[in-house]
Amino acid sequence: MGLRVLVVDDEEKIRQIIGIYLTNEGYQVGEAVDGEEALYKFRTEDWDLIVLDVMLPKLDGVAVCREIRKVSKVPIIMLTAKNDEVDRILGLEFGADDYMGKPFSPRELVARIKAVLRRTGPDEKQEGHLLKYPGLSIDLISRGVVVQGKSITLTPKEFELLALLARNAGRSFSREQLLEDVWGFDYYGDVRTVDTHINRLRDKLRVDGAPSYIKTVWGVGYKFEVEA
């Protein structure tokens, strides 16, 4: 049985094209034509990934994404005809795992689906799934983060940034590397997207005098480092 992907778009031609490409790759594909049907199918069936258009009848894609994220971490790739940076960051901040602007290449969409599933799939072994540093614990399986004994809530991208940096403590990453490793594709736009997520992550990690885990490496990017 192939992995199950729900395609949510009000344009029949787009649903058909995506469905053909995914079926040819061995995926099982379901469809929804509006936000309400998307939530119904999400709640009544099991899905491994959701392709979700932003502009939908009845309930828009951002609202659907927010509702899903209240109860599930199922990977979500959002589609939109709005390509400016504000809309891109907004979509990801509501919990999407990736983002594609219309018009798009179906082959590229399939490649991104595979990349997201690789990043979010159950590939972590039970042994060694905990990263522990002074005042900080990161569970790579449950995606739980505890700082100074207190649990904090991170968006999917914030968690992936933290996990990547913490796995590679002391290594400096450029913004371009972080975009490619965390977002899963080469990004040629404004790299300030990384700065936005890093700043919000830092704010959430500031719990009861916790050390500053994420350091700025001037002229390069960022690294994870625990003060001695």
Side-chain angles (χ1 to χ4, degrees):
M1 298 289 285
L3 296 175
R4 306 188 75 237
V5 177
L6 177 63
V7 179
V8 186
D9 198 296
D10 60 334
E11 295 186 45
E12 183 178 2
K13 180 177 285 189
I14 289 179
R15 297 197 309 273
Q16 288 178 344
I17 292 173
I18 295 174
I20 289 170
Y21 274 80
L22 288 176
T23 300
N24 288 341
E25 292 290 330
Y27 295 96
Q28 295 185 61
V29 181
E31 296 183 4
V33 301
D34 58 54
E36 291 183 0
E37 185 181 13
L39 284 179
Y40 174 78
K41 289 198 171 182
F42 160 72
R43 290 165 177 158
T44 57
E45 302 180 54
D46 292 325
W47 304 99
D48 296 291
L49 183 140
I50 297 174
V51 177
L52 179 62
D53 189 27
V54 170
M55 301 299 291
L56 291 171
K58 298 184 180 180
L59 195 65
D60 67 47
V62 171
V64 172
C65 186
R66 293 175 69 179
E67 287 301 308
I68 291 174
R69 279 292 171 261
K70 291 178 181 179
V71 296
S72 173
K73 294 177 181 177
V74 61
I76 297 173
I77 296 179
M78 300 193 80
L79 305 176
T80 181
K82 297 181 178 180
N83 290 316
D84 59 89
E85 179 70 7
V86 173
D87 281 337
R88 197 189 68 79
I89 292 176
L90 180 64
L92 294 174
E93 278 304 306
F94 279 121
D97 296 272
D98 202 349
Y99 180 102
M100 285 196 70
K102 292 180 176 179
F104 59 88
S105 161
R107 291 184 184 276
E108 183 182 358
L109 176 59
V110 171
R112 294 201 189 177
I113 287 172
K114 291 180 178 179
V116 168
L117 288 171
R118 281 196 301 270
R119 297 200 311 269
T120 59
D123 57 353
E124 298 289 348
K125 303 299 182 183
Q126 187 68 25
E127 183 179 358
H129 70 284
L130 283 176
L131 298 177
K132 290 189 175 182
Y133 294 97
L136 174 66
S137 176
I138 305 168
D139 191 318
L140 299 174
I141 293 179
S142 71
R143 299 171 75 88
V145 178
V146 177
V147 183
Q148 302 291 70
K150 297 181 179 179
S151 295
I152 64 172
T153 300
L154 302 181
T155 67
K157 282 292 169 287
E158 289 167 353
F159 179 85
E160 288 167 24
L161 277 169
L162 177 60
L164 174 64
L165 292 168
R167 278 194 185 110
N168 298 275
R171 173 184 167 186
S172 297
F173 287 83
S174 69
R175 291 168 177 82
E176 292 79 7
Q177 285 175 313
L178 291 172
L179 280 167
E180 184 172 352
D181 290 345
V182 173
W183 274 259
F185 61 96
D186 293 326
Y187 179 72
Y188 300 104
D190 193 342
V191 295
R192 287 179 297 178
T193 298
V194 171
D195 298 333
T196 299
H197 284 75
I198 289 289
N199 288 336
R200 291 176 182 173
L201 178 57
R202 281 172 165 166
D203 287 342
K204 292 181 179 181
L205 291 172
R206 293 190 181 105
V207 177
D208 294 341
S212 178
Y213 297 103
I214 300 177
K215 309 288 186 180
T216 299
V217 183
W218 298 109
V220 180
Y222 300 99
K223 68 177 179 179
F224 183 95
E225 184 177 274
V226 180
E227 298 171 350

